[in-house]
Amino acid sequence: MSAPAASAPPASASAPVPHASRRLALGVIATSLLMTVLDGSIVTVAMPAVQEDLGFSPAGLSWVVNAYLIAFGSLLLLAGRIGDLIGRKRMFVAGTAVFTAASLLAGVAASPGVLIVARFLQGVGSAMASAVGLGILVTLFTEPGERARAIAVFSFTGAAGASIGQVLGGVLTDALDWHWIFFINLPIGLAALVVAARVLPADHGLGRAAGADVIGALLVTAGLMLGIYTVVQVEEYGWVSAPTLGLGALTLVLLVAFVARQATARTPLMPLRILRSRSVSGANLVQVLMVAALFSFQILVALYLQNVLGYGAAATGIAMLPAAAVIGAVSLGASARLIARFGDRNVLLAGLILLIGVLGLLTRVPVHAHYVTDLLPVMLLAAGFGLALPALTALGMSGAGDGDAGLASGLFNTTQQIGMAIGVAVLSTLAAARTDTLIADGLGRAEALTEGYRLAFAVGTGLLVAAFVIAFAVLQRTEREPDA
């Protein structure tokens, strides 16, 4: 069931865009996503070099990642709605400019404080551009087949970007220095700005009167920022500590107040009608579980390769490239045709089954693994991500009209970040606790680390099974419509 359409034509509607311009626009949107994803994975590889050069403490170093994550995750919903109000092109261009300028600041940073500020500003720029990217895409590509292919390109860019970032981060850090992991964004960002200004369709938005809910904006932004901060600090304070429980309760109060505000506000920031679509609400719930589970594949497998098998940074990225290759082959070469033939829901379910196989195999990974027999099959089964993500993205955007496309895009990206934060907090904490317990019992470090990672993979498998059940139950009556 789709959300009801607005009674009047949306103010952001624009004239049809030529086919060549739409392809260029898709390229710009995918490039922006690639920069965002690369920036997340490329930094993790260079963290030891950053710590040594700038003198970060171990606790302070985590804020190189946390500052970006908090800004990005908490501002997506707000940025998406503002994009609907003032124009999505304007928001996308402004966000790309902020991200590019912040990358320059991060590259020249000579102290921990400057780098953390720059990373926060990168998160702000990424949120501004990412929140409206999908909204622009679904309003540009309205024919179902074209939209499915465009979403496949978009999904591949996000899925493969993490593996590319790990390789690129290792190469740049080893060949030059860590500053270049940020400088590389400058030519890409400037080129994206030039092309975006020329090819993205101009839209004037709905106007501030259509949704300028200042109180709602403050509530949801504060709630999400505090919630993500609470999650990323779990490893330091613990799940049942006073800071975690207190901040978690305050987060819940803020988010409940936001929902209550949206139900009564004359011009809500997030009209609750968008959640009446089973496809939209179900897809966002499934995404939280899927992304939380796949954190264990994207991050913990890399840690396993380095900490247990002794791979270097570049070798780790190369070892994970087969996953990026099969994801690309499936998402770009097959997903659109499969979705057109079998529907979004069925393709999503098939992808989730393959991903359950990925983490299920990893629960048995040995201490002395052979790449070809123990890990390569896992990388190949990652093709399930190339099926699941395009189908999930299509479902998550299916209930959005032209006036709500930025909001739906911001919501979909927000639940992705919430899933990632949950994955970081839950799976990494469980793995670390299991490892510490076994080391204290006298087990060797490699064996203890492996057992910790296995536990995380097992929990991730359970999350994927839950995602499959919800997708089957909630989306079972959702049928693929002939037109968007």
Side-chain angles (χ1 to χ4, degrees), residues 219-220 253-265 270 272 275:
L219 286 171
V220 71
V253 169
L254 290 171
L255 294 180
V256 170
F258 167 71
V259 173
R261 169 73 182 179
Q262 300 316 286
T264 58
M270 188 184 80
L272 296 181
L275 298 178

Side-chain angles (χ1 to χ4, degrees), residues 36-411:
T36 298
V37 176
L38 282 178
D39 200 68
S41 59
I42 205 171
V43 168
T44 59
V45 176
M47 295 278 272
V50 173
Q51 182 177 20
E52 182 179 353
D53 190 25
L54 296 186
F56 271 99
S57 66
L61 184 65
S62 66
W63 283 96
V64 177
V65 174
N66 293 344
Y68 178 88
L69 180 63
I70 289 172
F72 184 46
S74 62
L75 294 174
L76 280 163
L77 193 60
L78 176 61
R81 190 54 180 169
I82 292 176
D84 286 332
L85 301 180
I86 69 172
R88 289 184 285 273
K89 176 180 180 178
R90 190 176 301 169
M91 177 62 75
F92 183 89
V93 170
T96 303
V98 170
F99 179 83
T100 305
S103 297
L104 175 60
L105 179 61
V108 300
S111 68
V114 172
L115 182 57
I116 290 173
V117 169
R119 290 288 289 160
F120 186 88
L121 292 175
Q122 278 189 309
V124 173
S126 289
M128 294 168 67
S130 299
V132 296
L134 266 176
I136 296 173
L137 187 150
V138 299
T139 55
L140 277 174
F141 297 90
T142 56
E143 190 275 321
E146 280 193 332
R147 177 179 289 188
R149 288 189 291 272
I151 287 177
V153 172
F154 184 88
S155 302
F156 162 71
T157 304
S163 296
I164 297 171
Q166 288 172 332
V167 176
L168 192 58
V171 170
L172 288 175
T173 303
D174 291 343
L176 299 169
D177 59 51
W178 66 264
H179 299 274
W180 284 92
I181 67 174
F182 299 113
F183 288 148
I184 195 173
N185 291 326
L186 301 183
I188 300 174
L190 292 173
L193 282 171
V194 172
V195 178
R198 294 174 59 90
V199 305
L200 292 186
D203 59 316
H204 301 292
L206 301 171
R208 286 182 299 172
D213 178 16
V214 176
I215 295 176
L218 292 174
L219 286 171
V220 71
T221 303
L224 289 172
M225 190 171 291
L226 185 61
I228 294 172
Y229 171 81
T230 303
V231 168
V232 300
Q233 292 293 96
V234 161
E235 191 168 355
E236 179 178 350
Y237 295 120
W239 284 101
V240 294
S241 65
T244 299
L245 295 177
L247 293 176
L250 182 56
T251 297
L252 185 61
V253 169
L254 290 171
L255 294 180
V256 170
F258 167 71
V259 173
R261 169 73 182 179
Q262 300 316 286
T264 58
R266 185 176 65 85
T267 56
L269 176 71
M270 188 184 80
L272 296 181
R273 67 176 182 272
I274 197 172
L275 298 178
R276 294 173 191 161
S277 166
R278 292 179 62 162
S279 295
V280 172
S281 56
N284 279 280
L285 181 56
V286 169
Q287 178 171 235
V288 170
L289 295 171
M290 188 178 82
V291 171
L294 291 177
F295 161 80
S296 63
F297 175 76
Q298 294 172 329
I299 304 298
L300 295 185
V301 168
L303 292 175
Y304 166 77
L305 290 171
Q306 295 184 60
N307 295 336
V308 177
L309 301 186
Y311 285 35
T316 297
I318 293 172
M320 298 187 73
L321 273 182
V326 295
I327 290 170
V330 172
S331 60
L332 297 178
S335 65
R337 292 196 295 272
L338 292 173
I339 288 172
R341 181 171 181 180
F342 299 107
D344 302 317
R345 171 186 172 272
N346 290 332
V347 173
L348 170 61
L349 293 175
L352 287 172
I353 289 173
L354 291 177
L355 293 175
I356 290 170
V358 168
L359 296 191
L361 287 176
L362 285 172
T363 61
R364 305 178 63 184
V365 70
V367 176
H368 303 291
H370 298 286
Y371 180 81
V372 173
T373 57
D374 295 316
L375 294 172
L376 185 58
V378 171
M379 302 299 170
L380 298 179
L381 282 177
F385 202 70
L387 292 176
L389 190 56
L392 195 61
T393 304
L395 288 165
M397 296 299 295
S398 61
D402 193 61
D404 289 331
L407 171 63
S409 175
L411 176 64

Side-chain angles (χ1 to χ4, degrees), residues 231-236 238-239 295 300 421-436 452 455-456:
V231 168
V232 300
Q233 292 293 96
V234 161
E235 191 168 355
E236 179 178 350
W239 284 101
F295 161 80
L300 295 185
I422 291 172
V424 169
V426 175
L427 300 181
S428 63
T429 302
L430 288 174
R434 175 68 170 162
T435 297
D436 291 343
L455 175 61

